[in-house]
Amino acid sequence: MSALSQKHLISLKSLQKSDIDLIFQTADNFKEILQRPIKKVPSLRDITIANLFFEDSTRTRISFELAEKRLSADTINFSASGSSVKKGETLLDTVRNILAMKVDMIVMRHSSSGAAEFLSQHISANIINAGDGTHEHPTQGLLDGYSVREKFGELKGLNYLIIGDIKHSRVAGSDIPLMLKMGAKVKVTGPPTLIPKHIEELGVTYEPNLKKALEWCDVANVLRIQLERMDIKFVPSLREYALFYGVNKSLLDSIKKDITIMHPGPINRGVELNSDVADSKQSLILHQVENGVAIRMAALYLLAGRTQ
Ligand code: CP
């Protein structure tokens, strides 16, 4: 019997390799169940989960809701828009009131880095961080790692490249520790203004030239340019960004290597990634989305105290 070492899933930095292995193995079982005509199991029929989205989402929100339904959990969905947050209610008051209705687990997306960690210091329910500001997006990191493991068999020894807006990316914040813990090498590329200072201290190398970085990698995860997180301009124009850091088919054809392309979504088509790559056989994008359901089922199941 194996269980997670942590009560919450807030950050992959603090997760152990054995936890990641356990989540992947549990997701393997759920992925098999998701191929069956009846995709539902009774595992969490005694659990109520609140999905609290204080920030917009398509993939993560639907994926968590579907994962919860496949596990037979009761779910409630909360959006900040249309709620009493608009009347000035605090995060803690909102969550405490929801928990008073006998909710067992919280899935939360919030625009503030550290919001999930803050909550974990004040409530006893399990929390899954569904993305907090520019900090982490642990289930995205897990589904990215799981999708690469599915394609290559293991992550150990792979060259994993992350392209673009590393500074504002919670996906990079989770992908980097996951890939390093699982034995992959990680490089980042992008305009110097979008690379955090001292990135090397994370165990990651920086290559400013996109073509050289692509020649190095087996897998490239192309990040979205996050205009909503840039209070000042970090690139002169999107046109220039696309010219120097946009990934397109002619660039990939010029590299004598079959690189696997990923993107967490939503895509700015024609900016960081062209449709001739996003929709090609090299792209893992829709497999990432598919795997998100099995990974979130695994995370919910294990945090609820169920064991493998
Ligand atoms: N990848 C991701 O988090 O997408 P959403 O913002 O649509 O949830």
Side-chain angles (χ1 to χ4, degrees):
M1 282 215 306
S2 297
L4 286 181
S5 67
Q6 303 199 357
K7 183 180 171 178
H8 307 293
L9 180 54
I10 291 175
S11 132
L12 295 188
K13 252 180 239 106
S14 58
L15 219 59
Q16 296 172 12
K17 181 181 181 296
S18 56
D19 290 321
I20 298 168
D21 282 328
L22 177 61
I23 293 170
F24 285 177
Q25 285 155 18
T26 311
D28 286 341
N29 295 338
F30 286 128
K31 185 135 192 210
E32 187 272 314
I33 288 166
L34 291 172
Q35 311 305 317
R36 297 180 191 168
I38 296 172
K39 301 171 175 59
K40 204 163 170 142
V41 287
S43 313
L44 297 190
R45 68 181 164 196
D46 54 335
I47 297 281
T48 303
I49 302 167
N51 300 310
L52 311 182
F53 279 75
F54 293 86
E55 192 192 82
D56 296 344
S57 168
T58 298
R59 279 145 291 270
T60 312
R61 183 186 187 127
I62 291 172
S63 181
F64 266 113
E65 199 178 337
L66 204 50
E68 291 153 6
K69 287 188 191 315
R70 301 292 193 219
L71 291 166
S72 306
D74 287 328
T75 63
I76 51 167
N77 294 312
F78 166 94
S79 297
S81 58
S83 77
S84 292
V85 169
K86 297 282 170 212
K87 299 175 192 164
E89 189 168 43
T90 65
L91 170 62
L92 204 48
D93 277 340
T94 300
V95 175
R96 280 185 173 145
N97 277 271
I98 289 168
L99 290 175
M101 297 182 230
K102 307 293 178 218
V103 166
D104 303 293
M105 203 182 285
I106 298 288
V107 172
M108 185 175 76
R109 168 166 290 190
H110 203 285
S111 55
S112 294
S113 302
E117 178 65 34
F118 165 75
L119 209 54
S120 74
Q121 290 160 9
H122 297 278
I123 65 167
S124 59
N126 308 93
I127 301 167
I128 299 186
N129 176 11
D132 63 327
T134 60
H135 173 229
E136 280 220 34
H137 189 351
T139 55
Q140 181 72 44
L142 287 163
L143 75 87
D144 287 347
Y146 185 80
S147 302
V148 177
R149 168 187 176 264
E150 190 172 59
K151 168 135 194 183
F152 291 89
E154 62 175 343
L155 303 181
K156 197 167 178 210
L158 283 177
N159 288 349
Y160 190 78
L161 175 68
I162 309 179
I163 303 173
D165 184 1
I166 315 294
K167 193 191 269 291
H168 299 96
S169 173
R170 57 192 175 208
V171 176
S174 287
D175 273 20
I176 289 171
L178 179 132
M179 290 295 167
L180 293 175
K181 277 173 213 252
M182 301 310 281
K185 292 190 236 16
V186 181
K187 195 183 283 296
V188 296
T189 186
T193 48
L194 291 177
I195 306 296
K197 283 182 189 148
H198 314 299
I199 184 89
E200 292 80 8
E201 288 174 13
L202 299 178
V204 168
T205 53
Y206 171 53
E207 168 54 65
N209 183 288
L210 174 63
K211 191 170 177 198
K212 280 189 191 161
L214 285 168
E215 280 162 350
W216 169 85
C217 75
D218 302 300
V219 181
N221 194 358
V222 184
L223 298 179
R224 181 171 70 90
I225 279 282
Q226 300 186 48
L227 296 170
E228 76 277 21
R229 297 197 200 284
M230 295 189 193
D231 44 6
I232 54 167
K233 274 199 167 252
F234 287 81
V235 288
S237 70
L238 288 185
R239 211 165 131 254
E240 262 159 321
Y241 182 85
L243 274 174
F244 286 94
Y245 288 102
V247 175
N248 56 55
K249 188 170 182 311
S250 66
L251 174 63
L252 292 186
D253 284 349
S254 71
I255 293 162
K256 311 262 167 292
K257 208 172 168 186
D258 194 16
I259 298 165
T260 296
I261 299 293
M262 304 172 74
H263 192 300
I267 304 170
N268 295 307
R269 285 180 185 258
V271 180
E272 71 266 1
L273 190 61
N274 276 16
S275 293
D276 54 13
V277 177
D279 305 328
S280 73
K281 286 204 174 98
Q282 278 174 273
S283 163
L284 268 195
I285 295 170
L286 291 180
H287 293 283
Q288 292 171 259
V289 176
E290 181 187 344
N291 286 332
V293 179
I295 280 290
R296 289 176 176 122
M297 286 173 80
L300 291 162
Y301 177 88
L302 292 166
L303 283 182
R306 310 305 195 252
T307 50
Q308 268 288 93

